[in-house]
Amino acid sequence: MQISRQPYETKPWQNRICPAETMVKIHPDHTTSGAGNITSSPYLTTEKESFTIWMKSLVFNTNGCTVFDSKGNIIYRVDNYNSKSCREVYLMDLHGHVLFTLRSQKFGLFKTWEGYRSPSGTSDSTTNSEYFRVKSNIFQVPSKDSYSSYRVLTGSCRKNEQYHYKMVTRGSSLGIEDICGRVVAEVKRKQSRKGLEFGDDVLTMVVESQVDHSFIIGLVLTHRLINRKL
């Protein structure tokens, strides 16, 4: 049976103009390290790109996921050797170099997830690393259409921390919006060319141009960790 879903729609108010300095931070031509040095990013999209996320690890007897580009090449992987919903997860490239360390932190009664970029390719040190923290709206009342949202703060290890993004779930789709409400990435169940959906462990991620897709994958994995789906 063919199942159709409504596409993720951009609201009229989301088209408002952002200050130029804000757009430089959200859609950079380069990435900035924690020390302030500007370096080229090999993960920056040059046009809208599509990725496939398979919520399975290619390593036997482990939990995790594997991410493929539009040509079928493996570009990211997570191999969790401990168990599901552990407190620390590593996003790696194909060769096992750590790109982001995702870490669970507890503040009072509430748990948040933090992500640290790993420029050295290891998880040994996250000092002065680029950083993001995902905060949930604790006063949010569940709606009938399964709407939920999470704020994403970015900075350099809590220095100059700013609100830049929001992850919004509508039904089974996850949208990542910038500070102006524009959708920079969307994740939903993958469909065949005939419109038939694959299993709920096979997802499609579409990322807009001039966006760091390694950062977006880090947010998507964090969202699944929060909801105990990884």
Side-chain angles (χ1 to χ4, degrees):
M1 179 177 67
Q2 181 171 339
I3 302 176
S4 60
R5 294 183 183 272
Q6 295 182 349
Y8 193 95
E9 297 180 354
T10 302
K11 305 298 182 182
W13 60 267
Q14 295 176 339
N15 293 320
R16 61 180 181 272
I17 299 175
C18 293
E21 61 271 17
T22 300
M23 293 307 297
V24 169
K25 295 176 182 177
I26 294 174
H27 298 291
D29 292 327
H30 301 82
T31 56
T32 305
S33 68
N37 299 321
I38 298 179
T39 56
S40 298
S41 172
Y43 306 106
L44 199 68
T45 55
T46 57
E47 58 185 8
K48 181 184 287 189
E49 294 187 28
S50 178
F51 304 84
T52 297
I53 305 175
W54 186 39
M55 300 308 302
K56 299 288 185 182
S57 170
L58 295 181
V59 179
F60 179 71
N61 203 29
T62 62
N63 296 297
C65 73
T66 309
V67 182
F68 304 84
D69 63 15
S70 58
K71 297 179 181 178
N73 301 313
I74 299 175
I75 54 172
Y76 301 117
R77 61 190 180 94
V78 172
D79 304 318
N80 185 356
Y81 293 92
N82 296 318
S83 61
K84 276 193 174 183
S85 304
C86 66
R87 298 189 62 180
E88 191 162 289
V89 173
Y90 306 112
L91 171 62
M92 301 177 290
D93 64 13
L94 172 63
H95 306 291
H97 299 134
V98 177
L99 303 177
F100 276 94
T101 298
L102 309 178
R103 187 173 298 155
S104 173
Q105 299 285 354
K106 192 172 183 180
F107 298 96
L109 298 176
F110 305 102
K111 182 184 293 185
T112 65
W113 279 88
E114 298 177 348
Y116 299 87
R117 190 182 293 275
S118 306
S120 64
T122 69
S123 60
D124 294 338
S125 176
T126 54
T127 304
N128 296 324
S129 296
E130 287 185 63
Y131 153 94
F132 69 82
R133 179 158 60 99
V134 177
K135 299 178 65 177
S136 60
N137 183 358
I138 61 176
F139 300 106
Q140 183 170 269
V141 179
S143 61
K144 293 181 180 180
D145 58 355
S146 301
Y147 173 91
S148 62
S149 65
Y150 299 88
R151 295 183 64 195
V152 180
L153 304 179
T154 62
S156 177
C157 290
R158 304 200 182 200
K159 297 178 181 178
N160 301 319
E161 189 179 72
Q162 298 181 37
Y163 166 46
H164 275 164
Y165 298 90
K166 182 170 67 172
M167 294 191 290
V168 180
T169 302
R170 293 185 177 92
S172 62
S173 296
L174 170 65
I176 298 176
E177 302 174 356
D178 64 19
I179 196 172
C180 295
R182 281 187 283 264
V183 179
V184 297
E186 181 188 5
V187 180
K188 56 186 178 181
R189 287 179 63 176
K190 189 175 182 66
Q191 292 185 345
S192 68
R193 293 182 178 179
K194 295 183 178 180
L196 298 177
E197 289 187 334
F198 289 87
D200 57 8
D201 61 345
V202 183
L203 310 172
T204 291
M205 181 180 75
V206 178
V207 181
E208 295 295 330
S209 175
Q210 296 299 301
V211 177
D212 184 339
H213 51 78
S214 66
F215 170 69
I216 297 297
I217 282 289
L219 291 183
V220 172
L221 296 178
T222 301
H223 182 270
R224 295 191 71 86
L225 285 164
I226 291 173
N227 292 279
R228 299 182 177 274
K229 294 182 179 180
L230 178 63

